[in-house]
Amino acid sequence: MDYVEQRMAQEAAKPTPSPEVQTLFTPLNLILFSLLVLTLYYRLRPSPPITLPSAPAPIVFRTFTPPTLLPYNGLNDMPVYLAVRGKVFDVTPGRNFYGPGGPYANFAGRDATRGLACGSFDEDMLTKDLQGELDDLNGLGDEEMEALRGWEERFEEKYLVVGRLVKVGDEGKPVKEEGKVVEG
């Protein structure tokens, strides 16, 4: 028994930690401390750098003829263009309206001037002969011309003008536009 008593005396002689320290390192406290460290790590870790999306390709103002405008109808991932009174507008942001399946889809890649003036989306409002003269708007009344001006203003406010529409064969000729001469 001497050994046991001696051992108990040695253990009793050791300095005992204070009660606060004894209760500080409980399993629950260790779990809570690890959760705190983990939470701090996720909050303070460096985040990956934010990258901006690439800018869209620049659009060059160009001269279109009815046949060269036709492919810009929204099919095959092409942009959607339409012409109004000789100005070609990029209406791609309005693809839901002017692209394939939209209510104005028959105007995509075409001269929409007469159809918009008359408020008609029928195919017979479009120029049939793509190699011929552009629509000179003969036969339109004052109300239709006023409606056309409204459409043109709306397009100018909302969409980019990406070119001008000329008849086949006039691609390189200067065009008189609102009192000034524009080189082709």
Side-chain angles (χ1 to χ4, degrees), residues 43-94:
R43 295 281 287 166
L44 300 177
R45 74 177 174 185
S47 60
I50 298 173
T51 57
L52 297 175
S54 61
I59 298 174
V60 178
F61 187 88
R62 59 182 273 210
T63 301
F64 291 92
T65 61
T68 60
L69 182 62
L70 194 58
Y72 294 93
N73 58 8
L75 296 174
N76 303 322
D77 292 327
M78 291 290 286
V80 183
Y81 293 173
L82 63 80
V84 177
R85 289 181 53 171
K87 294 179 185 172
V88 178
F89 294 93
D90 180 359
V91 295
T92 305

Side-chain angles (χ1 to χ4, degrees), residues 108-121:
R110 304 292 294 267
D111 183 4
T113 306
R114 183 169 290 274
L116 292 173
C118 296
S120 173
F121 310 123

Side-chain angles (χ1 to χ4, degrees), residues 28-176:
L28 179 63
N29 285 347
L30 290 175
I31 291 171
L32 290 174
F33 181 71
S34 350
L35 286 174
L36 175 71
V37 168
L38 189 64
T39 303
L40 285 174
Y41 170 75
Y42 281 116
R43 295 281 287 166
L44 300 177
R45 74 177 174 185
S47 60
I50 298 173
T51 57
L52 297 175
S54 61
I59 298 174
V60 178
F61 187 88
R62 59 182 273 210
T63 301
F64 291 92
T65 61
T68 60
L69 182 62
L70 194 58
Y72 294 93
N73 58 8
L75 296 174
N76 303 322
D77 292 327
M78 291 290 286
V80 183
Y81 293 173
L82 63 80
V84 177
R85 289 181 53 171
K87 294 179 185 172
V88 178
F89 294 93
D90 180 359
V91 295
T92 305
R95 183 180 288 273
N96 292 344
F97 294 103
Y98 303 103
Y104 302 97
N106 61 333
F107 293 150
R110 304 292 294 267
D111 183 4
T113 306
R114 183 169 290 274
L116 292 173
C118 296
S120 173
F121 310 123
D122 297 334
E123 284 287 326
D124 62 336
M125 289 291 152
L126 301 173
T127 307
K128 302 280 186 276
D129 181 15
L130 297 181
Q131 301 294 328
E133 294 288 324
L134 296 179
D135 189 352
D136 58 6
L137 306 179
N138 282 339
L140 294 182
D142 290 339
E143 281 184 27
E144 291 150 332
M145 291 303 289
E146 186 62 34
L148 180 59
R149 279 189 283 282
W151 277 104
E152 188 176 13
E153 287 172 9
R154 187 173 305 126
F155 280 117
E156 287 174 345
E157 291 170 2
K158 196 169 183 178
Y159 301 112
L160 290 174
V161 176
V162 295
R164 62 187 174 97
L165 184 67
V166 298
K167 73 176 187 171
V168 175
D170 284 353
E171 295 93 324
K173 295 181 183 174
V175 175
K176 187 170 179 157

